[in-house]
Amino acid sequence: MDLTLGFLVASAVFAALLSGGYRAPFDPDVLATSALVTLAIWLALRLGQRLGFGAPGREARIDLELGTLVIAAVYVLIEASGGPAGAVYPLVYVVLAFIAAYQPVLRVAYFVVLTLGIEAGLLGDALLTDAGIEHFAAHVAFVGMFTWLFAV
């Protein structure tokens, strides 16, 4: 099984996120559910490989793919439950803290950059306003704090 397919699945989910595909006027329930089911299937396949059932010597790449898929799933949950102002948003910090606790620093840096890129993309034009900058700065601070605390 090619190890780039999970990245392609996550990229498709990120593209839908950034285009507003999990918000009205689309049917967010159907799209979010189908995205989460697809991500869960890929996560299960890659987790099986990571636990030793079919990818010896490729653990680092599988770890990157697993983390990317988990972050994609978290953002689908966030968007489906009301966006960054919803109650599920702190899950981003929990996932990044977990990743930081078990991954080398360079992989953690990849996940931090990925997360902040998604954040910036979701804010879009709002990032050009003072409120958008403050919102993004707060998220950068929390992402940095949680990853640093658990990476050390």
Side-chain angles (χ1 to χ4, degrees):
M1 195 178 318
D2 187 33
L3 288 177
T4 59
L5 291 177
F7 287 112
L8 292 174
V9 168
S11 296
V13 169
F14 292 140
L17 275 170
L18 297 176
S19 67
Y22 301 110
R23 294 182 182 182
F26 303 105
D27 188 354
D29 293 336
V30 171
L31 292 173
T33 302
S34 62
L36 288 171
V37 167
T38 303
L39 289 166
I41 291 168
W42 279 104
L43 279 166
L45 289 171
R46 293 304 186 233
L47 193 56
Q49 286 182 330
R50 180 62 175 96
L51 294 175
F53 306 111
R58 299 192 286 183
E59 291 85 5
R61 181 148 181 173
I62 292 173
D63 286 348
L64 288 171
E65 190 174 3
L66 278 168
T68 303
L69 290 165
V70 168
I71 289 172
V74 166
Y75 275 100
V76 171
L77 284 171
I78 289 169
E79 286 295 299
S81 65
V88 181
Y89 186 81
L91 192 56
V92 171
Y93 308 132
V94 172
V95 166
L96 285 173
F98 180 79
I99 288 171
Y102 294 101
Q103 295 296 316
V105 173
L106 287 177
R107 286 187 215 154
V108 173
Y110 162 77
F111 294 120
V112 168
V113 169
L114 176 66
T115 300
L116 294 178
I118 295 166
E119 291 282 335
L122 289 174
L123 282 172
D125 290 340
L127 196 53
L128 302 174
T129 66
D130 289 340
I133 291 171
E134 289 176 12
H135 180 82
F136 186 67
H139 286 250
V140 168
F142 277 108
V143 164
M145 180 182 68
F146 276 88
T147 54
W148 182 76
L149 284 173
F150 285 86
V152 175

